[in-house]
Amino acid sequence: AQSVTQLDSQVPVFEEAPVELRCNYSSSVSVYLFWYVQYPNQGLQLLLKYLSGSTLVKGINGFEAEFNKSQTSFHLRKPSVHISDTAEYFCAVSERNNAGNMLTFGGGTRLMVKP
Amino acid sequence: EPEVTQTPSHQVTQMGQEVILRCVPISNHLYFYWYRQILGQKVEFLVSFYNNEISEKSEIFDDQFSVERPDGSNFTLKIRSTKLEDSAMYFCASWGAPQEDEQYFGPGTRLTVT
């Protein structure tokens, strides 16, 4: 069974500052990794994903994440945040050999961008 | 761009009543899912569905829950006798494997049990 830990429940940051949202996972098999964003009163939107290949993946809205197998981490970064990035961010994993491909989510990190 | 749709957007029901939440997955997708998110908590997997049968389910998905694909387009989640703790946002998702490698989520149905 896999699990996901997002170490920070809330991250306040000033506009135009860099931000890192941390995600660690646990699994006995290889995994796919995802970051989703949820804006207030909306559904889940995929930001980026790691399937294989380069460990640095770039996503939408200027976000990127780096897969670190030895540390079982997949931290999300953005060099300069905007007010509009205020949202809940969820890290998720799915097991590579699982035909059903269910996603296991972390507890979420609320990013609060202040002017 | 194709998208997953869900109806209704908000459902209010009384405890003990049956509810059916509806989803229209992306048309050429074959894998379907339900997740739920209790207010302020993380998103939790409920069930996955493929080839007209459940392929995986979580411990949350007990006998009160059932899923069905009644026709070629809809995918439904039924809760037979709702409890207060069923109040949550319910998300439907679909996956177009093997051509695609991500699940696409609908906007959710907020279920409020009173």
Side-chain angles (χ1 to χ4, degrees):
Chain A
Q2 66 256 37
S3 66
V4 180
T5 302
Q6 292 183 242
L7 297 165
D8 306 299
S9 59
Q10 293 186 56
V11 173
V13 63
F14 286 106
E15 194 173 19
E16 297 183 7
V19 71
E20 177 179 84
L21 306 184
R22 296 180 291 171
C23 171
N24 287 89
Y25 69 93
S26 173
S27 176
S28 57
V29 300
S30 296
V31 296
Y32 299 124
L33 295 153
F34 306 83
W35 274 99
Y36 285 85
V37 60
Q38 184 180 34
Y39 297 103
N41 301 313
Q42 294 189 29
L44 298 166
Q45 181 182 5
L46 182 70
L47 269 181
L48 48 78
K49 59 195 174 194
Y50 172 77
L51 306 177
S52 65
S54 173
T55 57
L56 182 64
V57 292
K58 294 188 185 297
I60 61 171
N61 301 340
F63 285 93
E64 63 181 33
E66 185 156 20
F67 169 56
N68 188 318
K69 188 175 181 180
S70 62
Q71 296 186 4
T72 60
S73 67
F74 191 55
H75 301 332
L76 181 70
R77 301 186 185 99
K78 186 170 182 177
S80 176
V81 295
H82 302 289
I83 295 286
S84 59
D85 292 323
T86 295
E88 189 91 19
Y89 291 79
F90 293 96
C91 182
V93 302
S94 68
E95 292 183 342
R96 286 175 179 262
N97 63 348
N98 185 326
N101 203 41
M102 59 167 276
L103 289 169
T104 299
F105 286 84
T109 297
R110 183 172 299 277
L111 177 63
M112 299 175 293
V113 182
K114 300 182 283 188
Chain B
E1 185 177 331
E3 60 181 10
V4 177
T5 60
Q6 292 184 243
T7 55
S9 56
H10 190 190
Q11 173 91 46
V12 181
T13 189
Q14 289 189 330
M15 196 167 50
Q17 295 296 304
E18 175 184 287
V19 294
I20 297 177
L21 309 183
R22 291 182 168 79
C23 168
V24 178
I26 294 174
S27 62
N28 60 342
H29 286 189
L30 300 177
Y31 292 83
F32 314 114
Y33 308 83
W34 284 101
Y35 294 83
R36 81 171 185 191
Q37 183 183 30
I38 295 171
L39 186 64
Q41 298 185 25
K42 67 179 179 180
V43 179
E44 300 173 290
F45 168 76
L46 290 178
V47 65
S48 59
F49 190 86
Y50 171 73
N51 200 24
N52 282 321
E53 62 182 26
I54 291 172
S55 50
E56 198 163 7
K57 61 181 181 179
S58 71
E59 60 273 12
I60 302 168
F61 194 87
D62 62 22
D63 292 343
Q64 293 297 314
F65 291 89
S66 62
V67 289
E68 193 178 30
R69 187 157 164 82
D71 52 43
S73 60
N74 289 283
F75 178 53
T76 62
L77 174 70
K78 181 192 292 185
I79 309 174
R80 287 190 187 79
S81 178
T82 51
K83 307 182 186 69
L84 294 176
E85 53 265 36
D86 293 327
S87 294
M89 181 74 91
Y90 288 82
F91 293 106
C92 174
S94 69
W95 178 37
Q99 294 86 352
E100 299 189 64
D101 48 32
E102 66 182 83
Q103 291 179 26
Y104 291 84
F105 282 79
T109 292
R110 180 167 297 284
L111 176 65
T112 302
V113 183
T114 62

